[in-house]
Structures are given as structure tokens and as C-alpha cells.
């Protein structure tokens, strides 16, 4: 049992740990409210329920940017021959690009886990808006300058089933915030803890048999989900001609994170296998859509332990911040554990041999294979990855001690208000991670089943742009392991042998800042992003956006210039050797909706004793410790049904014409293109930049201050 808990713990670490949140029984608006319900024009088995959330729900730069939130619903047995005797209701949040949405690219954003919601990506990372405090008991959203809607239409998807707002069937239950557990059916709060830490609400069933338990099954589900969405919203199919009378292959960009290092390659490979079935007549062309990737971006990906695991002890002892999270002796012991006769490396290989012979479809229904692969994961965690935890440092940012307050968990409060849930048309309370789904992937040993590197090599052979992007402060999927994966991909792709000869070029983000370095040959790139932890866009929003846009446009990753990808080779140093001083560890912030991961033991005891004050979901020693937000925040923030006062004053509506969007400094559109690069010793000096126009793209005793019923 202890081993199972350890495995589950480390998987949930990949999804930024378990963070549940809910508060009331949501209304039944999913079934009866201002919801549009249609059958997908492509597949009549697939039903969509969606709405346009009112302005201010997720504030965008331009009020004319359309948004859609809702569900793509699959009936039982849709995944046959995969066993699926449950409903799948996959939640999505779609936002139009800031300019020329009708011709903009389409990007799919999927977080990891397994079991982590992509609302993390929307509200903590790359979405068009972020949640802010407006006043006491009042939250809103303000537009992000560097949201990825700046250069793309974008859809955030909660998957697999039962993750985030997605569900199989609506089920009432109780959330224990102190223990981060959900009990079904609902019950009363334990006498040992305050009532506000034990909340009743509506969830999915929390039945492990009603969701995917392998990446392969998740891939089948997401393909059907996209068939439904893209069939219902053909205007966002990048390949549809301007007269809307003919459609071709759907050129999309798939960006994943963390466990997405497994999701992304497998999902993309499944899309291509379905394309082949269409071409050979084994799938009807009149009832399916071709989904072909233009690019695959993997941020901070845990892709393959066979390649990456050996770098856990190395990074812990020898990183570019000069932090010794492991002693040299402990590092050597962990390295020996990886290479030993019964160690991590051999266990992974045994797992993959078993999968190949007894579960080649990766459906997780061979008990003996599941056990072998689960055992491999156990060995790798306990002997190679796990020793780092004793250092007390964050798995997601080696420069910080736990608990770390970054990024903010304020959005958990926002998504669980009745006002917001009604605005987006959901009938379920929001949970950031689902431990039952995470554990189901543990039980099949999905983490070590592998083959993602071969899948990426296959994608490169089809002309897909593949970008591996790693922040240099993350431990759990660190950049040393990511770099090794990039070389392994090149080794399996004969046409990419020149990747070894490529040098690390500066990633020039603006006229004064180098945000990282990149090694690139043709469609394959590896980027090390400076001063970024696990959630790269949260740490370095401008750098992340710049890298993202250069990937989806196929330009030079270093400067953003047009290049011939068939021959391009980055020029620079052989190794990424830049070092930096570690920042001071931040003081923790105790979010009541994320007690287990953001509160110290003293703060947890404080809650149990009934001491302190809870204001806007944060525990304070004294009520006077809370300070009202600056007036500029309320001016720039909207909330459901109310746009920010500043929006109409500064924002111009986007145009679908061929003319370039507005380039005034106060209108955040476009991406920077450099014609020169500041050297590593000249950071902060000017580099000459030019504007790029691509039609849609342009450069440049406790007192609770919020009643539990309102959670």
C-alpha cells in the first residue's frame, strides 16, 4: 500500500499535485440553461453542449474575441473494440485569436498528470486571462499581454474523462480540503476540523472504470472529441478555404506539458493512423475528418524514463544554479540504482518487452503486464527519482523550498463560484487533479510503457515540426533529461543526424533580453528556457509566447526569421552552459483550496485550532494582513457579464481583413522578430527588431471572510 501511495504521489506531482476545489451544488444549466445542443455534423453519435460565456468571464484583449465553453459527449461503446461502457463528457474552453481569427492557426493545449486539468494551462500559464482579486469576496479576470491567443485560436481540453470539469455522470459528494480527498456519497464534516474545510458539491463518479487508464485509450478518446468539435465549428478549421465550400486536412498545433510528454506523441501518432485508415477506405471519409498536425510542442515533458531517469540524480547535484540537493555520494548511489542488474533501466526494459508480447495495443487489460510495468515505475521512483524529495526542495523549481506559493492558486476560488459555473455552463464543481484517474494510470504502469521517442521520429518523417521546451529550474522533468531525449530522437531519425552538429543559439525575446538557448535542425528543436520552473509560461510569459509562435509559424527559433526548414541548422556553442544565481526561496501562501501543497505544518495546525483569518481563500494571521488590490486592478478586470472599464478605452476590435493589426505599443498583438542578438554578456542592451506581418500576425479563532456557500 505504501508503494502504491508513493507512485500516486509522484504522478500527481507531475500535475502540480492534487488540488481539489468545489463549493456548492451547481445548477443544472448543463442540461437546461442557455446551452446549445447539437449533433456533430461529422458523426451523429457525438453530441455537443456549449455556450458563449458572457464578457468578462475570461477577459480578453478585444471584446469581439469569441469564446465557447462546453462538452463533447460520447455515448458508451464509442471507443469499441476498447471496453467503454460509460459516457464521456469532455470539457473544452475555446478562445479566438486576437486578430484575424478566421485565418489564424488552431492550437490544442493539454496539461499532464495524468489527471490534471487543462484549466491550469488556461489560468496559470498560456490562456488569454488570469484571475485576480478585485475586492474582498470578489474575483475577476484580466487580459494577459502574452496569452497565446495573441497568435492563435486556442482550445483547452480537460482529459481524460473525469478530469477538471469533464465527467462520466454527475455524482454528489464531499470534499475534505484538509485531506485532499473526495467522499461519495456526501457526509458531514469531521468534528476535528472547521466546517469550511469540508464542502459538499457535485463531481464525476470517481469510478476508475469510467475513464482511460492508459495513454493509448486517452488518444482514442481525444480523436473522437476533436471529430465532434471540429465538425461543429468548421470556421476554425485552418484548411477550409475562404469561401467555406471545401475542407481539406486540418492543420493543427498540439501543445502538451509534463505527462503530456507521453500524451503528445501518442495522440499525434494515433491521429496519423486514423488518417491512414481514411485513405485506405477502412474509415468512411464522409463521416470523419482528417486531423494532421503542423507542429507538436512538448513543454517540460516526461517523455521516456529509459532516457531521462538517469539525469535525476545528476541534475540534483550538478545544475546551473549550483544547488546541491543531493550529495555526491547520494547521486552516485542513485546512478548505480538506475544501472543495476535489477535496477530502473532493466525494469523498464522488462516492462516494454512484456507490453510488446502481451499487450501490444496498450489497452491495460493484461494483468501481468500491468504489474511488471507498475513494478518498474516503483523501482525508478524509489531509487532514482525519489531521494531528491528528502532535500525539501520543490519538484517543480529546484531553487524553491516546499511549500512554494508559485503560481497563484487564486483561480481555484474563481472557478468554483456559482456565478462562473453558470457563465460557462457546467453542472460540476471544479477539481484541478483527479487522484482516482492518476492512480488508474499507475495501476497499468503507463508511465514506463514507452515508445514515444519512436512516435516522435515518425512524426518528423511526416514533416511535423517537433519542439521540446524545458525550463532550467524544474526537477521533475528536467532539461538535462529533455536534451537527452532530443538526441535520442535524432538517433532514431537518420535524416536528423545533423542535429548533433547544431549549436545552441540565443532565443532573442525582445531588444534587451535573451530568454534561453535553442538547438535546432530543420523541424526538430530543443530549447532551454532560463529562469523557468515546471510551468514555463507562468515563469517566463513573453519567452514562452515567443517560442510558441515561432514554432507554429515555422520560423527560426532563435530570431524568428523565415528559414528553409529542410536545411536550417542553428549556430552557436556545443553546450548550454549559462549559469545563474538561485533566487531566494519565497514565503509560502496558504490557499485553503490547496492546503496540502501550499500550507506549512504550522499553518495546517493553525486551521485545525481555529486560529487566523481566511480572506479570498487565503489564510492570514491577522485580518489586517490582507490588503485591498490596487485600483488599477479593478479597472483592468472583468467578471461574468461585466467587461473591464479599461477595455473599451484601449482595445481596438480585430479585423479579418488582410491588413495588419494595430501595432501601437498599448495594443498587445504580434511577436518580436530580431535581426541581431545581444550576447550573453550584453543582456539588457538593445538588439534591432523588425515587424513581421503574416496576415494574422504582427510583431511588436478563524473568521471566514467568504461564506462556504459561495465557494
Amino acid at each position: 500500500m505504501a508503494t502504491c501511495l508513493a507512485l500516486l504521489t509522484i504522478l500527481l506531482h507531475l500535475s502540480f499535485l492534487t488540488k481539489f476545489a468545489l463549493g456548492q451544488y451547481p445548477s443544472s444549466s448543463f442540461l437546461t440553461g442557455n446551452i446549445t445542443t447539437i449533433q456533430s455534423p461529422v458523426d451523429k453519435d457525438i453530441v455537443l453542449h456549449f455556450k458563449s460565456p458572457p464578457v468578462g468571464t475570461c477577459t480578453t484583449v478585444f471584446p469581439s474575441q469569441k469564446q465557447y465553453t462546453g462538452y463533447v459527449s460520447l455515448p458508451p461503446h464509442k471507443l469499441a473494440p476498447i471496453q467503454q461502457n460509460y459516457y464521456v463528457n469532455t470539457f473544452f474552453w475555446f478562445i479566438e485569436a486576437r486578430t484575424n481569427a478566421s485565418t489564424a492557426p488552431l492550437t490544442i493545449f493539454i496539461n499532464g498528470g495524468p489527471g490534471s486539468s487543462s484549466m491550469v494551462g488556461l489560468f496559470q500559464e498560456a490562456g488569454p486571462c488570469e484571475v485576480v482579486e478585485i475586492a474582498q469576496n470578489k474575483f475577476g479576470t484580466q487580459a494577459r499581454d502574452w496569452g497565446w491567443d495573441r497568435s492563435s485560436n486556442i482550445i483547452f481540453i480537460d482529459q481524460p474523462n473525469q478530469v477538471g470539469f469533464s465527467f462520466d455522470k454527475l455524482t454528489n459528494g464531499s470534499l475534505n480540503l484538509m485531506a485532499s480527498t473526495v467522499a461519495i456519497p456526501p457526509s458531514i464534516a469531521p468534528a476535528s476540523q472547521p466546517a469550511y474545510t469540508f464542502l459538499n458539491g457535485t463531481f464525476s463518479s470517481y469510478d476508475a472504470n469510467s475513464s482511460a487508464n492508459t495513454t493509448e485509450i486517452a488518444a482514442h478518446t481525444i480523436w473522437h472529441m476533436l471529430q465532434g468539435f471540429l465538425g461543429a465549428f468548421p470556421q476554425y478549421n485552418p484548411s477550409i478555404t475562404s469561401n467555406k465550400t471545401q475542407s481539406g486536412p486540418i492543420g493543427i498545433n498540439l501543445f502538451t506539458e509534463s505527462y503530456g510528454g507521453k500524451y503528445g506523441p501518442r495522440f499525434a501518432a494515433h491521429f496519423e493512423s486514423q488518417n491512414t485508415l481514411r485513405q485506405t477506405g477502412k474509415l468512411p471519409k464522409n463521416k470523419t475528418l482528417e486531423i494532421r498536425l503542423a507542429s507538436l510542442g512538448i513543454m517540460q515533458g516526461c517523455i521516456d524514463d529509459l532516457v531521462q531517469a538517469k539525469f535525476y540524480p545528476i541534475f540534483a547535484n550538478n545544475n546551473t544554479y549550483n544547488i546541491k540537493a543531493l550529495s555526491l555520494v547520494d547521486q552516485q548511489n542513485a546512478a548505480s540504482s538506475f544501472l543495476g542488474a535489477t535496477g530502473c533501466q532493466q525494469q523498464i526494459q522488462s516492462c516494454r518487452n512484456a507490453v510488446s508480447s502481451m499487450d501490444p495495443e496498450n489497452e491495460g487489460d493484461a494483468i501481468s503486464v500491468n504489474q511488471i510495468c507498475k513494478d518498474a515505475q516503483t523501482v525508478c521512483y524509489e531509487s532514482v527519482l525519489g531521494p531528491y524529495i528528502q532535500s525539501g526542495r520543490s519538484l517543480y523549481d529546484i531553487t524553491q523550498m516546499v511549500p512554494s506559493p508559485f503560481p497563484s492558486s487564486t483561480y481555484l476560488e474563481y472557478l468554483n463560484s456559482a456565478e462562473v459555473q453558470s457563465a460557462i455552463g457546467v453542472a460540476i464543481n471544479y477539481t484541478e487533479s483527479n487522484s482516482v484517474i492518476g492512480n488508474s494510470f499507475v495501476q497499468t504502469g503507463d508511465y514506463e510503457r514507452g515508445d514515444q521517442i519512436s512516435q516522435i521520429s515518425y512524426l518528423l518523417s511526416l514533416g511535423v515540426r517537433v519542439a521540446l521546451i524545458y525550463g532550467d529550474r524544474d526537477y521533475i522533468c528536467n532539461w538535462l533529461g529533455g536534451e537527452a531525449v532530443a538526441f535520442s530522437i535524432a538517433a532514431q531519425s537518420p535524416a536528423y543526424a545533423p542535429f548533433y552538429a547544431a549549436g545552441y543559439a540565443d532565443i532573442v525575446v525582445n531588444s534587451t533580453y535573451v530568454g534561453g538557448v535553442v538547438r535546432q535542425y530543420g523541424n526538430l528543436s530543443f530549447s532551454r528556457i532560463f529562469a523557468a520552473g515546471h510551468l514555463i509560461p507562468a515563469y517566463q510569459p513573453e519567452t514562452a509566447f515567443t517560442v510558441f509562435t515561432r514554432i507554429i509559424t515555422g520560423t527560426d527559433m532563435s530570431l524568428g526569421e523565415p528559414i528553409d526548414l529542410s536545411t536550417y541548422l542553428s549556430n552557436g556553442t556545443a553546450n548550454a552552459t549559462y549559469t545563474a544565481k538561485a533566487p531566494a526561496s519565497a514565503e509560502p501562501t496558504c490557499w485553503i483550496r490547496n492546503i496540502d501543497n501550499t500550507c506549512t505544518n504550522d499553518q495546517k495546525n493553525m486551521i485545525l485550532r481555529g486560529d487566523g483569518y481566511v480572506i479570498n481563500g487565503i489564510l492570514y494571521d491577522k485580518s489586517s494582513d490582507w490588503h485591498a488590490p490596487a485600483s488599477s486592478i479593478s479597472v483592468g478586470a472583468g467578471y461574468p457579464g461585466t467587461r473591464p472599464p479599461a477595455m473599451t478605452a484601449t482595445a481596438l476590435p480585430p479585423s479579418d481583413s488582410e491588413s495588419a493589426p494595430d501595432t501601437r505599443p498599448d495594443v498587445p498583438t504580434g511577436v518580436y522578430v530580431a535581426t541581431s542578438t545581444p550576447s550573453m554578456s550584453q543582456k539588457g542592451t538593445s538588439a534591432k527588431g523588425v515587424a513581421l506581418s503574416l496576415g494574422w500576425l504582427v510583431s511588436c479563532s478563524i473568521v471566514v471572510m467568504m461564506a462556504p456557500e459561495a465557494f
Side-chain angles (χ1 to χ4, degrees):
M1 177 61 71
T3 296
C4 290
L5 289 175
L7 285 172
L8 178 57
T9 297
I10 201 62
L11 278 182
L12 290 176
H13 280 317
L14 290 180
S15 63
F16 233 130
L17 300 174
T18 305
K19 302 176 188 173
F20 294 101
L22 72 157
Q24 69 285 314
Y25 298 109
S27 71
S28 58
S29 61
F30 169 64
L31 301 175
T32 62
N34 185 24
I35 303 293
T36 298
T37 298
I38 63 170
Q39 289 180 310
S40 170
V42 174
D43 186 338
K44 301 302 182 184
D45 289 339
I46 302 174
V47 177
L48 286 86
H49 315 269
F50 62 91
K51 67 179 299 186
S52 296
V55 66
T57 306
C58 177
T59 299
T60 51
V61 169
F62 299 113
S64 55
Q65 287 178 257
K66 295 177 182 177
Q67 300 185 44
Y68 299 100
T69 57
Y71 291 90
V72 177
S73 297
L74 308 181
H77 313 298
K78 186 63 180 175
L79 304 183
I82 294 171
Q83 183 177 357
Q84 178 236 335
N85 57 358
Y86 52 87
Y87 286 93
V88 177
N89 298 290
T90 302
F91 179 78
F92 66 88
W93 195 318
F94 170 86
I95 307 99
E96 278 189 343
R98 296 180 190 178
T99 56
N100 297 315
S102 65
T103 56
L106 175 65
T107 298
I108 298 166
F109 194 107
I110 294 176
N111 279 91
S116 181
S117 164
S118 293
M119 298 304 98
V120 172
L122 197 164
F123 287 102
Q124 291 188 317
E125 300 186 79
C129 66
E130 60 185 331
V131 176
V132 294
E133 295 181 72
I134 297 177
Q136 192 164 294
N137 298 343
K138 186 69 175 179
F139 297 94
T141 60
Q142 64 183 14
R144 278 196 180 99
D145 280 355
W146 302 107
W148 290 7
D149 63 313
R150 188 170 176 142
S151 61
S152 178
N153 295 321
I154 189 165
I155 182 172
F156 296 85
I157 301 174
D158 275 347
Q159 67 83 49
N161 203 26
Q162 302 192 57
V163 169
F165 282 122
S166 297
F167 67 95
D168 55 339
K169 60 182 180 181
L170 301 176
T171 308
N172 290 336
S174 299
L175 165 70
N176 187 336
L177 293 173
M178 292 300 302
S180 293
T181 56
V182 173
I184 295 173
S187 57
I188 61 174
S192 60
Q193 64 188 76
Y196 75 89
T197 65
F198 195 90
L199 307 175
N200 290 329
T202 304
F203 304 89
S204 60
S205 72
Y206 271 69
D207 180 354
N209 295 316
S210 295
S211 185
N213 61 2
T214 68
T215 297
E216 179 67 30
I217 296 174
H220 286 254
T221 307
I222 205 71
W223 182 83
H224 282 288
M225 183 272 171
L226 290 173
Q227 293 289 302
F229 177 83
L230 292 166
F233 292 94
Q235 66 269 36
Y236 301 117
N237 175 350
S239 297
I240 288 183
T241 57
S242 59
N243 62 14
K244 304 294 191 295
T245 61
Q246 177 182 351
S247 65
I250 298 171
I252 63 176
N253 307 287
L254 175 61
F255 274 70
T256 63
E257 184 176 79
S258 194
Y259 205 88
K262 304 185 189 302
Y263 288 152
R266 182 59 238 156
F267 289 8
H270 181 67
F271 297 166
E272 292 300 339
S273 70
Q274 295 295 90
N275 293 342
T276 299
L277 292 177
R278 292 181 79 254
Q279 293 300 321
T280 57
K282 295 180 180 179
L283 280 178
K285 289 187 178 181
N286 63 337
K287 293 184 178 180
T288 57
L289 292 172
E290 185 173 17
I291 301 177
R292 195 175 298 280
L293 287 187
S295 64
L296 170 65
I298 300 175
M299 297 187 296
Q300 225 64 46
C302 282
I303 297 171
D304 190 341
D305 254 0
L306 200 59
V307 175
Q308 291 174 274
K310 70 181 74 173
F311 291 96
Y312 284 123
I314 295 173
F315 183 83
N317 177 265
N318 186 17
N319 50 77
T320 56
Y321 291 92
N322 196 31
I323 292 171
K324 305 295 183 183
L326 284 183
S327 68
L328 182 59
V329 171
D330 288 339
Q331 175 197 333
Q332 293 170 339
N333 288 339
S336 296
S337 296
F338 177 80
L339 296 169
T342 59
C344 174
Q345 184 181 55
Q346 184 55 51
Q347 295 276 350
I348 294 172
Q349 195 57 61
S350 296
C351 161
R352 295 180 184 180
N353 291 340
V355 169
S356 178
S357 62
M358 293 182 280
D359 187 14
E361 300 301 320
N362 269 302
E363 294 181 6
D365 53 4
I367 295 175
S368 61
V369 175
N370 292 348
Q371 189 62 52
I372 292 169
C373 292
K374 178 181 171 184
D375 289 347
Q377 187 177 333
T378 301
V379 168
C380 293
Y381 167 73
E382 292 183 344
S383 63
V384 182
L385 186 154
Y388 170 91
I389 294 174
Q390 302 305 314
S391 70
R393 291 188 174 274
S394 170
L395 289 164
Y396 316 111
D397 185 343
I398 195 171
T399 71
Q400 300 296 299
M401 305 301 291
V402 293
S404 172
F406 188 82
S408 167
S409 292
T410 301
Y411 88 104
L412 297 174
E413 297 287 341
Y414 183 71
L415 289 184
N416 283 288
S417 69
E419 181 182 34
V420 173
Q421 290 170 352
S422 175
I424 62 177
V426 298
I428 186 172
N429 293 114
Y430 178 71
T431 57
E432 186 175 273
S433 295
N434 187 318
S435 60
V436 169
I437 302 307
N439 186 54
S440 70
F441 278 71
V442 169
Q443 297 306 315
T444 63
D446 185 76
Y447 194 84
E448 305 299 359
R449 286 175 173 247
D451 205 28
Q452 275 76 12
I453 289 178
S454 296
Q455 291 158 2
I456 293 173
S457 177
Y458 170 61
L459 295 173
L460 286 171
S461 73
L462 298 176
V464 177
R465 296 185 292 274
V466 176
L468 308 182
I469 311 151
Y470 288 78
D472 64 9
R473 282 162 52 172
D474 182 43
Y475 169 80
I476 194 67
C477 306
N478 62 71
W479 75 272
L480 296 181
E483 182 184 48
V485 167
F487 285 124
S488 294
I489 293 168
Q492 289 195 25
S493 311
Y496 279 81
F499 182 80
Y500 285 89
Y504 276 106
D506 292 336
I507 298 173
V508 182
V509 175
N510 57 46
S511 63
T512 63
Y513 184 64
V514 171
V517 289
V518 60
R519 180 191 295 266
Q520 181 179 5
Y521 172 67
N523 282 331
L524 176 63
S525 65
F526 169 81
S527 299
R528 171 193 165 191
I529 307 301
F530 298 149
H534 195 66
L535 302 185
I536 298 172
Y539 285 82
Q540 298 294 341
E542 185 178 2
T543 299
F545 165 77
T546 302
V547 168
F548 160 72
T549 303
R550 290 174 183 174
I551 293 166
I552 67 173
T553 55
T555 61
D556 161 24
M557 292 279 289
S558 172
L559 301 177
E561 296 177 329
I563 54 173
D564 181 355
L565 285 171
S566 66
T567 59
Y568 177 78
L569 190 74
S570 60
N571 183 36
T573 59
N575 299 297
T577 58
Y578 175 73
T579 61
K581 182 180 178 181
S585 191
E587 288 296 317
T589 298
C590 179
W591 276 281
I592 297 302
R593 291 188 178 277
N594 191 16
I595 291 173
D596 196 39
N597 305 308
T598 66
C599 304
T600 66
N601 288 333
D602 286 345
Q603 289 169 326
K604 293 175 184 177
N605 290 330
M606 186 175 165
I607 294 169
L608 292 175
R609 290 194 307 267
D611 296 336
Y613 293 77
V614 177
I615 306 173
N616 287 354
I618 297 175
L619 178 69
Y620 294 96
D621 291 338
K622 306 182 298 294
S623 61
S624 59
D625 290 339
W626 179 82
H627 300 287
S631 60
S632 58
I633 298 295
S634 61
V635 170
Y639 51 90
T642 303
R643 68 178 55 176
M647 177 179 276
T648 55
T650 62
L652 300 178
S655 170
D656 279 330
S657 69
E658 291 303 314
S659 61
D662 194 287
T663 59
R664 294 177 306 162
D666 61 340
V667 180
T669 60
V671 66
Y672 182 79
V673 180
T675 57
S676 63
T677 176
S679 71
M680 297 300 289
S681 61
Q682 294 176 322
K683 285 185 180 179
T685 60
S686 178
K688 187 178 180 181
V690 297
L692 172 70
S693 175
L694 295 177
W696 51 269
L697 180 66
V698 175
S699 102
C700 298
S701 90
I702 280 198
V703 177
V704 181
M705 296 299 183
M706 180 180 285
E709 291 77 12
F711 280 18

